Amino acid sequence: MSTRTENKRAVIELFARVSANDIDGAMALVADDVSWRVPGKPELLAMAGLYDKKRLRYLFDVMRSQLQQGLAMTVVHAIAEDDCVAAEVEGSGELKNGRSYRQQYHFMIRVRDGKIATVHEYFDTLHAHDIWIRR
């Protein structure tokens, strides 16, 4: 099996574990020195910014606490080249506040030694704000 195929499988497995509410399993796929970038301006979208592994775990836990049954994340397309995987992902979940989260993401992910090492995440920040933050 090629490294590209293995990298692609690691990314698909990450989103499968998040979808299964297996945050411990998802975090096991993430490098200890991960750098995960969430788009937006922190003054407008509280979740925006750069995350290390500890802060990323906290973000996943906070999101999970606000969802009725977790966040389903479906990989629609994934393309691997060298150590990078580009993934188009659809996410959905029902929040405890009654709102429905329906998001389309693009992730540019670098995989190192089988672990998720760098993530640049892109999504509709206005929708995220309206669903997660707006009162």
Side-chain angles (χ1 to χ4, degrees):
M1 186 179 332
S2 74
T3 301
R4 285 184 292 203
T5 301
E6 291 171 7
N7 291 347
K8 195 169 159 181
R9 285 187 184 187
V11 168
I12 291 169
E13 182 65 21
L14 172 74
F15 293 115
R17 290 185 185 194
V18 169
S19 292
N21 263 329
D22 179 11
I23 302 306
D24 289 336
M27 295 307 294
L29 297 171
V30 173
D32 289 339
D33 63 344
V34 69
S35 174
W36 189 303
R37 186 181 72 193
V38 175
K41 297 179 180 183
E43 64 273 15
L44 301 174
L45 185 64
M47 69 183 85
L50 193 60
Y51 288 75
D52 61 12
K53 192 168 186 174
K54 182 179 177 182
R55 188 168 178 230
L56 180 63
R57 173 60 196 242
Y58 177 76
L59 176 65
F60 282 145
D61 287 341
V62 167
M63 288 177 64
R64 188 171 54 172
S65 75
Q66 294 182 33
L67 290 158
Q68 291 179 16
Q69 297 181 348
L71 183 63
M73 299 192 81
T74 303
V75 177
V76 178
H77 298 285
I79 301 168
E81 183 177 305
D82 299 325
D83 64 346
C84 290
V85 178
E88 181 182 0
V89 178
E90 293 180 352
S92 64
E94 304 303 320
L95 276 71
K96 292 177 181 176
N97 66 12
R99 296 182 185 144
S100 295
Y101 187 59
R102 302 290 180 266
Q103 190 62 271
Q104 295 175 321
Y105 302 88
H106 181 270
F107 293 90
M108 179 55 71
I109 301 171
R110 288 191 181 276
V111 180
R112 184 181 66 239
D113 300 325
K115 299 275 188 172
I116 307 302
T118 306
V119 178
H120 290 181
E121 178 177 346
Y122 302 91
F123 60 84
D124 182 347
T125 55
L126 180 59
H127 176 67
H129 178 271
D130 286 349
I131 301 302
W132 293 90
I133 309 298
R134 181 178 54 87
R135 303 228 181 251

